[in-house]
Amino acid sequence: MPSDTSTVTLNGVVGSPRRRRRRASLTPYLYIAPFFLVFGVFGLFPLLYTAFISLWDWNPIGDKTFIGFQNYTELFADPRFWNAAGNTLSIWAISTIPQLIAAIVMAAVLNNALLRAKTAFRMAVLVPNITSVVAIGVIFTQLFGRDYGMINWLLQSVGLDRIDWQAGRLSSQIAVSMMVMWRWTGYNALIYLAAMQSIPSSLYEAAAIDGANKVRQFLSVTIPQLRPTIIFTAIISTIGGLQVFAEPLLFGGQGGTTGGASRQFQTLALFLYEQGFRNFKFGYGSAIAWALFVIIAIATVVNLKLSSRIASE
Amino acid sequence: MTNLIATSPPTALAPVPARARRRRPAKHHRVGWFTYVVLGATTFLSLFPIYWMFVIASNDTSAINNVPPVLIPGSNFMANARQVFDAVPFWRNLGNSLVVAGTIAVGQVFFSALAGFAFAKLRFPGRNALLVLVVGTMTVPLQLAVIPQFILITHIGWVNDLRALIVPGLVTAFGVFWMRQAVDNSLPDELIDAARIDGARTSRVFWSIALPSIRPAASVLGLFAFMGAWNDFFWPLIVLNSPETFTVQVALRQLQSQAYVTDYGVQMAGIVLATVPLLLIFLLLGRQIVGGIMDGALKS
Amino acid sequence: MSTGRKKLARAAAIFAAVALTLTACSSGGDKASAPASSAGGKLPTGQTLSVWTFGATGLEDSMNKWAADTGNKVEFKKSEFDPHHEQLLTALASGAVPDVAVVETSYSSLFKQSAQYFTDLRDFGADSIKSDYLDWRWAQGVADDGRVFGLPTDVGGLAMAYRTDLFTAAGLPTDAPSVEKLWSSWEDFLKVGEEYKAKTGKSFLDSTGVLFQTLYNQSDPKLYSADGKSLVYDTNPQIKHAFEIAARGSSISAKLGAFSPEWNTAMAKGDYAVQLAPAWMLNYIQGQAPETSGKWSVANLPVGGGNWGGSQLTIPKASKNAALAFDMISKVLSPANQLAVFKATGNFPSTPSLYTDPALTDYKSKFFSDAPVGIIYSESAKKLKPVYEGPKERQMMREFGNALGRIDTGDETAAQAWDSALAAVKLEIG
């Protein structure tokens, strides 16, 4: 090894001012090259190529014709698209809002320091998260079965009517949302729990001195302190929630691709799959993908705006 | 190309009130009935579907379609499992999933650590612009570009080949960002200076100093990468088409859609077989996984 | 390059190599070690043919037997009906194909358009066996340019299976001639169903979709005009009539999705009394409800015949074992073997030479109370005429089925459902 460390070795590594003298070096690029290479080929390139394909009438085993923005004009006039967009948003709302509320309550309870078997409880609430989405799809499809499902049996045994869960728009979306909720609530609870544990106790002590009871403390100390975490989880749930695919596909059984007979629970991701890989309209499918990108981008920006406003409050 | 649904790039960047990170003393709460009701209910709701999966998997169809439903496990599991093995090469599928998820986990950690280290500690022209690119694409759901990805994979000739799953999964923008934060947080410049004075090169700093110091963050990333790849469904469903290349998830879907064995007992037996390995790992590593998620929330 | 960098590069290279080796080992693309050669007439052995089907073709046993006889192996992939055909399209586009794939008749016009992705079976002498098969069934595997891309499997001549025990319980006759006298039209059929329901409180039918499918298959023309040049789904009175009859059937239907697990269960439990049954359905019933043996019989439909289903066996062009695959499909679809398959499964032969063969016409099925299924289905098959089916047949039928589903759930009236079906079809084919 060269003895003069000042001239070679740590190319460009941030060090003391004496060493800041940068040398043009390839080393850093070698470190980031694998990432950018693979990411560029399998991530960025397809992303841009989607835009290109969306301008074509593109059948992978047939003709390819350039048609400009026709896919988009068709898409915006297509009731199936608006239906799927509406379903996506409502499934997102039904699954995310109760999920995050339930997660906060769970976290508050798990945060109780006197609790015995803490780790056991934490593990229990995380079990759904390590269960695969296909497994969840099959289990819940059975639970929500019309004729032999456990939930209908419960409803009936307390004197209520059986529900054809898959048939109705709201009921089917509730069933799909339950799968999403079941999988992610415990997970989000653990994140909230971590955030709660870092809230300084002095805040609670001060509130207690002011005479606040536990519920009041929860509302006036815990929730405000959790705000950034809540916004974060909301963003993540939004990005994921807007792409829901496997749950409705599996729930629908044979009619899964269209999300039921009336497309009552077809999400945008399913619509993309249907047009791209059932009807083999790659151009139209790509237009759907771009529309979904835009929707997710808008949702993320709205979330961020919301978060910065709340943070500045 | 992690799964379309598996939402969360792990939590990790969860911003957390930065002030005090110590635990506060326990005296605020007393364990009351409300606590036990909530805990009891959530534990029940979390575990019941799993229990019920075993119940269905171990009964025959006629028992499953009973009203009222069966609530205790039966003795039919082996028979159902045998039908699973008849329908799909299950062990092969399990092995495929292990290879895919394992390779992706190791690869993602390694490549992310490399890039993350460079972004955190090396200076080079274009660094900031590239970092912005990484962060900017973090929330873009690239898996939606599935159509060109499929065309690309077709051109490479990887359709029905596990490489179609593995190679694109080796890197994620999130992983790079995560590792950059980890290096930034856990590797003080002084340590690097000291090493450099001892004559260490960049690669040595990376191997001997950076990597060991970010081991906890790396294992959390690896864990999430593994779980994400294990559960991935959308992309494998499109690029895999023969039973020998199926991952577990696609094989389960295949079980669901076999016109002649659409039998819940058999389907559920398949699901039990696919879930039990993960449950066992979870029982062994659960403490670390829970810790990882919570640490993840606190870091960065 | 400094040594450190080299080490790093080496580590990365090793890692990549390991990753690729691991995946190469487990990739499925390497099934055929030596491509079959059609030259010399000697067929290879030790090969594994991959066969994709939906549900059961009834041919699995024959294929396995062929494999054992020839020293090869067959691997099956079974998927649901639509996913199977979708995966086949994707496979054709990507080149990662099976050696043999089933294409059902409602999809055959769609695949006809992509016939260049299949092996032209004339290369293996398919022309010489053409006369073995029904002309119209053969034609379903021939593209516009004359390319033969598939050999016909069975014919789905239509009849009706019914539960004799449930008929008795409802005070209905159980022998086929008397049952057939109960109705001379589909309207009568519905009336009997309503009486049955009133008397027993149980459903008469499994699904209105199946009823519609049956009447649709009696239509001539169907959704396309006879020359295939225009669409008549919205103007063809026979289709409208089929839809109306099916819609009226909703009140006596168990509202089950055909081929769903619930449907299978209901079939076994006797939750409904009548199963409209193309010949291959007999195989399905025996497979799904073995405990109902002897409780069924088979009668003719109220009116006419009709064909539902049947498939072609195709060999995608990218198959490395086309010659071997052709040997297999031509043998399992030979008249002699189709007779054996019929006896084992009920799948009705597409080879007319058998229709006068006593081995077939005298055949009675124990499972179906010794009903003369041989004569019933051969009479039904003789009545069949070729009806044009277009490339979007299946897509359109799905929407009609969905609309009937909306009547079942009470979301729409019959009239609304007809309108929404037409609108949905229009979007679907647009």
Side-chain angles (χ1 to χ4, degrees):
Chain A
M1 288 215 178
S3 53
D4 185 1
T5 54
S6 64
T7 53
V8 267
T9 65
L10 281 181
N11 310 297
V13 169
V14 180
S16 60
R18 192 167 54 92
R19 295 285 154 82
R20 280 266 162 82
R21 179 170 57 96
R22 258 175 280 153
R23 287 177 73 253
S25 163
L26 272 179
T27 309
Y29 298 104
L30 282 179
Y31 279 67
I32 60 171
F35 168 78
F36 279 100
L37 202 71
V38 179
F39 187 72
V41 172
F42 294 101
L44 282 182
F45 166 70
L47 183 69
L48 300 174
Y49 202 50
T50 305
F52 175 75
I53 297 174
S54 74
L55 303 177
W56 292 68
D57 182 0
W58 185 305
N59 178 348
I61 57 170
D63 299 333
K64 300 163 182 66
T65 323
F66 184 80
I67 53 169
F69 287 95
Q70 198 183 315
N71 280 326
Y72 291 95
T73 51
E74 264 175 43
L75 186 67
F76 296 136
D78 189 339
R80 297 173 301 181
F81 169 70
W82 296 109
N83 168 66
N87 291 345
T88 305
L89 287 176
S90 64
I91 288 175
W92 167 79
I94 301 171
S95 63
T96 305
I97 296 166
Q99 179 195 150
L100 295 184
I101 293 172
I104 291 180
V105 174
M106 269 163 73
V109 170
L110 282 171
N111 194 24
N112 195 317
L114 286 181
L115 207 62
R116 284 173 181 278
K118 241 191 255 184
T119 311
F121 280 122
R122 288 174 190 179
M123 280 171 67
V125 299
L126 202 60
V127 162
N129 193 247
I130 61 147
T131 310
S132 81
V133 67
V134 178
I136 293 172
V138 176
I139 294 172
F140 277 70
T141 302
Q142 242 276 306
L143 283 171
F144 283 102
R146 183 189 69 180
D147 297 331
Y148 307 110
M150 166 79 65
I151 291 171
N152 268 352
W153 173 74
L154 280 176
L155 287 178
Q156 210 176 21
S157 52
V158 298
L160 296 169
D161 282 340
R162 304 174 84 86
I163 295 174
D164 188 349
W165 288 96
Q166 222 195 80
R169 183 169 293 269
L170 183 64
S171 62
S172 60
Q173 294 191 3
I174 289 176
V176 169
S177 301
M178 290 297 287
M179 300 184 202
V180 180
M181 274 184 75
W182 188 72
R183 180 140 178 244
W184 291 106
T185 306
Y187 181 84
N188 282 318
L190 288 187
I191 292 171
Y192 290 139
L193 178 59
M196 282 179 191
Q197 291 185 341
S198 67
I199 298 173
S201 58
S202 54
L203 292 179
Y204 289 97
E205 279 150 17
I209 290 167
D210 291 347
N213 62 14
K214 257 160 60 180
V215 174
R216 180 93 213 126
Q217 286 177 22
F218 179 74
L219 293 176
S220 64
V221 178
T222 312
I223 294 290
Q225 289 291 313
L226 281 186
R227 257 185 190 150
T229 315
I230 293 172
I231 297 299
F232 165 77
T233 50
I235 291 179
I236 295 299
S237 308
T238 303
I239 295 172
L242 293 177
Q243 298 176 65
V244 165
F245 169 78
E247 288 92 342
L249 177 72
L250 294 159
F251 182 60
Q254 293 188 71
T257 310
T258 53
S262 316
R263 298 177 179 272
Q264 66 270 31
F265 53 92
Q266 187 181 46
T267 59
L268 279 171
L270 264 181
F271 188 47
L272 160 58
Y273 179 74
E274 184 201 3
Q275 295 303 321
F277 293 93
R278 164 177 276 186
N279 294 352
F280 255 34
K281 292 174 152 184
F282 273 18
Y284 202 52
S286 296
I288 298 169
W290 264 103
L292 192 43
F293 280 137
V294 170
I295 291 173
I296 290 173
I298 291 172
T300 309
V301 169
V302 168
N303 263 319
L304 284 172
K305 279 253 150 66
L306 211 68
S307 76
S308 60
R309 228 185 63 197
I310 290 172
S312 64
E313 258 170 20
Chain B
M1 277 173 241
T2 45
N3 42 350
L4 201 52
I5 314 93
T7 39
S8 317
T11 75
L13 12 162
V16 151
R19 274 148 272 171
R21 277 185 184 165
R22 75 207 141 75
R23 292 215 179 162
R24 75 200 134 84
K27 50 187 150 178
H28 292 285
H29 292 295
R30 271 231 238 89
V31 183
W33 61 270
F34 180 71
T35 304
Y36 281 117
V37 169
V38 173
L39 273 180
T42 50
T43 309
F44 176 77
L45 289 176
S46 297
L47 299 182
F48 179 77
I50 302 286
Y51 168 76
W52 202 59
M53 163 180 97
F54 286 103
V55 172
I56 300 289
S58 58
N59 276 291
D60 63 14
T61 313
S62 58
I64 295 159
N65 291 330
N66 262 343
V67 179
V70 282
L71 284 171
I72 45 167
S75 56
N76 223 37
F77 181 75
M78 292 317 288
N80 286 338
R82 220 169 296 129
Q83 270 184 276
V84 172
F85 298 129
D86 285 347
V88 291
F90 189 81
W91 300 118
R92 179 79 187 252
N93 301 146
L94 201 67
N96 289 344
S97 276
L98 280 173
V99 168
V100 169
T103 317
I104 284 180
V106 175
Q108 223 181 83
V109 166
F110 180 70
F111 292 125
S112 300
L114 270 184
F117 171 72
F119 278 123
K121 297 294 177 190
L122 306 184
R123 304 208 148 202
F124 51 93
R127 182 180 78 158
N128 289 343
L130 289 172
L131 189 60
V132 166
L133 181 67
V134 171
V135 175
T137 49
M138 222 160 51
T139 56
V140 179
L142 292 170
Q143 55 273 32
L144 291 178
V146 56
I147 287 170
Q149 280 162 353
F150 175 75
I151 295 174
L152 185 68
I153 291 295
T154 295
H155 278 291
I156 305 175
W158 282 354
V159 171
N160 204 24
D161 187 320
L162 294 185
R163 277 174 291 191
L165 270 49
I166 293 173
V167 178
L170 286 177
V171 304
T172 58
F174 171 77
V176 173
F177 177 78
W178 170 252
M179 286 313 232
R180 196 204 85 93
Q181 300 297 92
V183 173
D184 215 33
N185 284 338
S186 55
L187 185 60
D189 287 346
E190 297 76 46
L191 212 60
I192 299 180
D193 279 346
R196 206 200 31 208
I197 287 161
D198 287 348
R201 294 155 185 279
T202 310
S203 55
R204 192 163 165 73
V205 173
F206 175 74
W207 278 116
S208 315
I209 303 173
L211 270 187
S213 74
I214 55 172
R215 203 179 288 151
S219 45
V220 172
L221 179 66
L223 206 70
F224 281 116
F226 186 93
M227 277 171 45
W230 182 274
N231 282 327
D232 197 4
F233 176 61
F234 187 52
W235 179 240
L237 185 68
I238 288 166
V239 290
L240 302 181
N241 68 21
S242 74
E244 313 91 76
T245 57
F246 282 166
T247 58
V248 165
Q249 308 306 331
V250 186
L252 290 179
R253 161 71 174 161
Q254 190 70 17
L255 269 188
Q256 194 204 18
S257 71
Q258 292 234 344
Y260 266 46
V261 249
T262 30
D263 175 317
Y264 283 126
V266 177
Q267 270 179 42
M268 219 58 98
I271 285 177
V272 166
L273 290 170
T275 310
V276 162
L278 276 198
L279 279 178
L280 287 180
I281 294 175
F282 186 64
L283 276 181
L284 289 174
L285 299 178
R287 199 176 284 267
Q288 285 88 325
I289 295 174
V290 169
I293 290 173
M294 295 183 57
D295 276 0
L298 285 173
K299 275 206 185 101
S300 56
Chain C
M1 211 187 237
S2 74
T3 51
R5 239 191 264 157
K6 263 185 213 148
K7 216 191 269 168
L8 199 63
R10 207 181 321 137
I14 290 170
F15 175 77
V18 169
L20 291 180
T21 323
L22 273 174
T23 58
C25 297
S26 40
S27 82
D30 51 355
K31 50 187 174 253
S33 45
S37 78
S38 51
K42 185 100 173 72
L43 289 165
T45 57
Q47 304 293 307
T48 299
L49 294 186
S50 55
V51 178
W52 290 7
T53 71
F54 59 89
T57 58
L59 297 170
E60 284 84 352
D61 289 344
S62 302
M63 289 182 177
N64 281 327
K65 185 172 177 303
W66 168 88
D69 292 349
T70 58
N72 292 291
K73 260 181 71 184
V74 183
E75 267 178 14
F76 295 98
K77 183 178 86 154
K78 297 179 197 169
S79 314
E80 263 174 340
F81 185 74
D82 288 322
H84 160 74
H85 291 96
E86 287 151 20
Q87 284 164 16
L88 180 57
L89 273 175
T90 315
L92 295 178
S94 70
V97 295
D99 296 303
V100 174
V102 174
V103 172
E104 206 256 1
T105 51
S106 60
Y107 271 104
S108 62
S109 295
L110 178 65
F111 282 92
K112 240 178 224 183
Q113 295 178 327
S114 311
Q116 72 273 18
Y117 288 92
F118 292 98
T119 303
D120 187 347
L121 303 180
R122 290 178 300 184
D123 297 349
F124 297 107
D127 280 336
S128 66
I129 52 170
K130 179 174 188 283
S131 56
D132 287 350
Y133 299 89
L134 288 170
D135 286 342
W136 62 275
R137 280 294 281 121
W138 183 266
Q140 284 170 325
V142 181
D144 294 341
D145 63 356
R147 177 188 289 264
V148 177
F149 70 94
L151 299 186
T153 63
D154 56 321
V155 171
L158 282 159
M160 176 153 33
Y162 58 95
R163 287 286 292 262
T164 51
D165 54 336
L166 299 178
F167 268 42
T168 306
L172 293 169
T174 56
D175 62 303
S178 314
V179 167
E180 285 158 11
K181 256 182 231 138
L182 288 173
W183 44 63
S184 58
S185 68
W186 286 108
E187 279 81 2
D188 290 350
F189 174 78
L190 291 178
K191 259 181 228 138
V192 174
E194 279 151 19
E195 283 161 23
Y196 176 90
K197 172 123 197 211
K199 216 172 271 177
T200 61
K202 286 167 100 177
S203 303
F204 189 60
L205 279 176
D206 54 339
S207 131
T208 55
V210 172
L211 183 56
F212 178 69
Q213 187 84 42
T214 302
L215 273 95
Y216 152 85
N217 280 312
Q218 296 190 319
S219 304
D220 181 11
K222 291 179 169 175
L223 306 177
Y224 288 80
S225 62
D227 59 5
K229 288 197 175 121
S230 59
L231 284 160
V232 297
Y233 67 91
D234 48 348
T235 53
N236 182 353
Q238 298 173 69
I239 294 298
K240 180 123 201 251
H241 175 249
F243 191 85
E244 282 165 358
I245 291 287
R248 281 175 51 195
S250 181
S251 63
I252 54 168
S253 156
K255 302 179 172 55
L256 298 157
F259 308 102
S260 68
E262 288 75 15
W263 187 67
N264 298 339
T265 303
M267 188 184 282
K269 280 188 152 184
D271 289 348
Y272 61 90
V274 165
Q275 178 68 60
L276 292 165
W280 47 262
M281 189 73 86
L282 303 189
N283 182 25
Y284 193 95
I285 296 172
Q286 294 176 60
Q288 282 305 326
E291 63 271 36
T292 61
S293 178
K295 294 181 180 169
W296 294 87
S297 189
V298 181
N300 284 304
L301 295 182
V303 271
N307 175 68
W308 175 6
S311 303
Q312 317 290 126
L313 292 186
T314 67
I315 302 173
K317 196 160 208 171
S319 161
K320 293 194 182 71
N321 276 313
L324 196 61
F326 182 79
D327 185 63
M328 178 175 81
I329 66 173
S330 59
K331 287 202 173 120
V332 301
L333 295 177
S334 68
N337 198 57
Q338 288 210 32
L339 179 62
V341 170
F342 169 75
K343 286 186 173 169
T345 69
N347 283 6
F348 198 78
S350 54
T351 50
S353 63
L354 293 172
Y355 296 176
T356 50
D357 187 335
L360 183 131
T361 53
D362 292 350
Y363 183 75
K364 295 187 164 88
S365 166
K366 264 219 176 65
F367 191 96
F368 293 90
S369 313
D370 282 330
V373 291
I375 197 81
I376 290 175
Y377 284 104
S378 49
E379 286 308 312
S380 174
K382 278 183 204 158
K383 279 186 236 164
L384 291 176
K385 286 169 296 176
V387 181
Y388 181 85
E389 292 189 1
K392 295 186 168 162
E393 209 78 28
R394 175 64 191 158
Q395 264 177 288
M396 294 194 268
M397 283 303 284
R398 263 201 306 258
E399 291 305 335
F400 283 112
N402 284 342
L404 288 166
R406 294 195 287 273
I407 300 176
D408 280 348
T409 58
D411 287 344
E412 291 179 6
T413 65
Q416 288 169 337
W418 172 254
D419 290 341
S420 68
L422 295 191
V425 168
K426 202 166 187 176
L427 269 175
E428 196 56 28
I429 60 181

